């Protein structure tokens, strides 16, 4: 079965949909088959499309994420995904709090993948402007490159 990767942020309307998009694009470009999804620890935005600023940032990179819809992370995710990446340390803490006793999924901090960024957050652009969304994209794309490199070496 192909590797299954879930990205988790707070609302699933800004950072994790961009991470999903960046990895989808890089996986396609590298010819690697991955199952990719995203979710939020919170429920406020369930059913909503990504923030218009996240949609615009993804589109700047040629990726249309307008059809994505936010969902909340659920216990089943810890069985159906191999790896769950938290977009910041708070999300990581919240993920551990809702994880079942024996999760199959490995739960990790996304930026730990990026040299020099271990332990750090993908900037939360929700209260920021388009520059913050661009910075968040750069972060998730750098991590996506590392994920693709991992699978390319196999
Ligand atoms: P995300 O951004 O977690 O990257 O999707 C946020 C979305 C919503 C809120 C905060 C961050 N909020 O406070 O509603």
């Amino acid at each position: 079965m192909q590797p299954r990767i879930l990205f988790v942020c707070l609302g699933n309307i800004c950072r994790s949909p961009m991470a999903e998009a960046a990895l989808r694009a890089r996986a396609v470009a590298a010819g690697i088959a991955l199952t990719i999804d995203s979710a939020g620890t919170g429920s406020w935005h369930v059913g909503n499309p990504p923030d218009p600023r996240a949609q615009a940032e993804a589109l700047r990179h040629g990726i249309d994420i307008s059809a994505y819809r936010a969902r909340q992370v659920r216990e089943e995710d810890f069985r159906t995904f191999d790896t769950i990446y938290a977009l910041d340390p708070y999300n990581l803490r919240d993920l551990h709090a809702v994880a079942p006793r024996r999760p199959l999924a490995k739960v990790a901090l996304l930026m730990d993948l990026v040299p020099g960024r271990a332990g750090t957050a993908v900037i939360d652009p929700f209260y920021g402007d388009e520059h913050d969304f661009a910075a968040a994209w750069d972060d998730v794309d750098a991590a996506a490159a590392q994920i693709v490199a991992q699978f390319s070496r196999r």
Side-chain angles (χ1 to χ4, degrees):
M1 210 193 301
Q2 61 195 38
R4 298 159 298 184
I5 296 164
L6 179 68
F7 296 105
V8 174
C9 61
L10 179 62
N12 193 209
I13 55 167
C14 299
R15 293 164 292 174
S16 62
M18 290 197 289
E20 178 182 348
L23 183 58
R24 283 188 189 285
R26 284 191 174 272
V28 167
I32 295 169
L34 300 175
T35 296
I36 307 164
D37 197 6
S38 64
T41 56
S43 61
W44 308 282
H45 300 283
V46 167
N48 292 345
D51 185 289
R53 298 165 296 175
Q55 293 191 38
E57 182 59 29
L59 215 47
R60 258 181 13 96
H61 300 277
I63 304 149
D64 179 0
I65 63 170
S66 61
Y68 289 17
R69 292 294 178 268
R71 72 172 180 87
Q72 191 171 22
V73 71
R74 45 183 177 252
E75 189 172 329
E76 181 192 328
D77 291 325
F78 294 87
R79 290 190 297 271
T80 53
F81 289 90
D82 304 303
T83 310
I84 303 179
Y85 285 115
L87 278 276
D88 72 29
Y90 298 107
N91 307 143
L92 183 65
R93 177 200 62 193
D94 293 343
L95 271 175
H96 284 306
V98 298
R101 202 182 299 262
R102 275 188 285 276
L104 289 178
K106 177 187 156 206
V107 179
L109 186 66
L110 183 66
M111 294 309 284
D112 281 356
L113 294 173
V114 180
R117 292 294 304 276
T120 68
V122 172
I123 179 184
D124 181 352
F126 186 68
Y127 294 105
D129 61 17
E130 68 267 28
H131 300 290
D132 300 297
F133 277 82
W137 179 277
D138 289 345
D139 281 358
V140 299
D141 191 49
Q146 295 294 330
I147 293 171
V148 163
Q150 275 177 7
F151 291 114
S152 305
R153 282 195 294 270
R154 289 192 172 181

